[in-house]
Amino acid sequence: MNAHVRDNPGRHTFSEISVEVMINRRMAKYGYAAREMGFTLLEMLVVLVIIGLLAGLVGPRLFSKVDQSKVTTATVQVKLLRGAVENVRLDIGRYPSADEGLSLLSKPPADPALAVRWRGPYLDDAVPLDPWNNPYQYSLRGQDGNGFALFSFGADGQRGGEGDAKDIGITPAP
């Protein structure tokens, strides 16, 4: 670029002007004026309708997979917590009481005799919430002869339910 063009930013070099002329000639050849090069409102609406239809068909399938993955995550977390509770029982000789709950996995018991035998923490992080951001439920007297109950209420956050709202884990005895 020569010094004259650099000093006058409104002026163009010969190559810049020739490119502009070529573009204008090509648009005129195909019947377009410079102002007609964009999309019309109708074309944009057609594209939006097509995108909406695709989202309507694909969206429900994806969301059902998300719900199923939450159930799977809760099942895996219950198994992990169950193993940690069993390790506590092996170390201190009993399951955590209802008052201690799952906090015994990360904090030693208040009883000094049991605190000496406690080998925790039994989880790398804090006790997780279930995939629906509710705490896992723990109590003694599990169903089918289990020594404890450890479960999530499921998607509805309430006892019982069907499908994604079903309780997940080792449920308590009735």
Side-chain angles (χ1 to χ4, degrees):
M1 187 186 299
N2 59 33
H4 181 69
V5 173
R6 212 178 11 229
D7 294 338
N8 297 316
R11 299 191 61 156
H12 300 286
T13 63
F14 177 75
S15 63
E16 290 173 337
I17 294 172
S18 62
V19 168
E20 228 175 283
V21 169
M22 285 181 6
I23 291 172
N24 287 337
R25 283 185 185 165
R26 183 163 297 196
M27 289 187 326
K29 179 180 175 183
Y30 293 109
Y32 293 105
R35 65 184 180 282
E36 295 179 353
M37 288 299 292
F39 293 106
T40 66
L41 179 61
L42 182 61
E43 291 169 331
M44 293 296 284
L45 289 175
V46 168
V47 169
L48 289 174
V49 167
I50 291 171
I51 290 172
L53 288 172
L54 288 174
L57 294 173
V58 176
R61 289 185 182 179
L62 291 177
F63 287 124
S64 70
K65 295 292 183 189
V66 169
D67 292 339
Q68 183 57 40
S69 69
K70 286 184 176 185
V71 170
T72 303
T73 300
T75 303
V76 169
Q77 285 179 335
V78 164
K79 288 180 182 178
L80 172 92
L81 293 172
R82 179 183 185 177
V85 169
E86 290 292 344
N87 285 337
V88 168
R89 184 186 63 84
L90 291 173
D91 288 346
I92 68 172
R94 66 170 175 81
Y95 289 117
S97 68
D99 292 335
E100 294 168 328
L102 296 177
S103 66
L104 194 61
L105 300 176
S106 56
K107 294 185 291 187
D111 182 3
L114 294 176
V116 172
R117 297 191 313 219
W118 188 80
R119 304 265 188 265
Y122 295 90
L123 298 173
D124 292 336
D125 296 318
V127 176
L129 295 175
D130 71 6
W132 299 277
N133 291 323
N134 298 315
Y136 282 99
Q137 304 300 309
Y138 174 82
S139 65
L140 297 172
R141 290 188 52 234
Q143 194 170 17
D144 298 329
N146 287 307
F148 61 93
L150 176 61
F151 62 99
S152 166
F153 285 133
D156 65 351
Q158 298 176 2
R159 181 113 181 174
E162 298 290 325
D164 295 340
K166 183 178 177 184
D167 295 346
I168 301 165
I170 306 164
T171 54

